[in-house]
Amino acid sequence: MPAKAKTQKKAPKPRKAKATGRVGLVNPTAEEMKKAFSIFNSSNRSVISTQDISRVALEQGYSFDDDEINAMMEAAATVTGRASTTSMTFQGFQKLVAHYSRTMPT
């Protein structure tokens, strides 16, 4: 009697991602904004600091020197109309994202 051939299990089909029409934080919901802010604001101080930006960048595999981080905060201060170039509140973060949501191609 010939040996029974083993049947191979089929690999599960990958799930398809639901298309939302959004990339990153383009036209984010209020909940998405809070979640994004909390990634930077891990210590719950209610502000994002230059150290927070540097930490998140490193976690994502990017390394910026102090001059580059300061330039980012200066640009954010210009967009949000704030005088501080060392920290950003949630309201400033919202303004910054709203500004870039309008200027980013979709």
Side-chain angles (χ1 to χ4, degrees):
M1 182 177 236
K4 231 180 189 182
K6 290 184 179 180
T7 57
Q8 292 181 345
K9 291 183 179 180
K10 290 183 180 179
K13 290 182 181 179
R15 293 182 181 176
K16 292 183 180 180
K18 183 178 177 183
T20 62
R22 293 193 304 234
V23 176
L25 284 177
V26 176
N27 301 319
T29 65
E31 190 59 35
E32 288 170 327
M33 290 285 281
K34 289 176 187 175
K35 186 175 180 179
F37 187 80
S38 72
I39 291 169
F40 289 93
N41 182 28
S42 62
S43 61
N44 295 319
R45 291 186 322 264
S46 74
V47 295
I48 296 172
S49 68
T50 54
Q51 292 85 8
D52 293 325
I53 292 173
S54 182
R55 176 186 49 78
V56 171
L58 286 172
E59 288 171 359
Q60 298 300 313
Y62 299 98
S63 179
F64 297 109
D65 63 31
D66 289 344
D67 290 338
E68 291 170 312
I69 296 289
N70 290 334
M72 288 179 206
M73 290 300 278
E74 287 174 16
T78 300
V79 167
T80 62
R82 294 189 45 89
S84 175
T85 59
T86 59
S87 65
M88 182 185 324
T89 63
F90 180 67
Q91 290 78 17
F93 182 76
Q94 287 178 303
K95 287 180 184 178
L96 184 67
V97 172
H99 171 79
Y100 284 104
S101 291
R102 287 190 304 271
T103 60
M104 290 178 66
T106 55

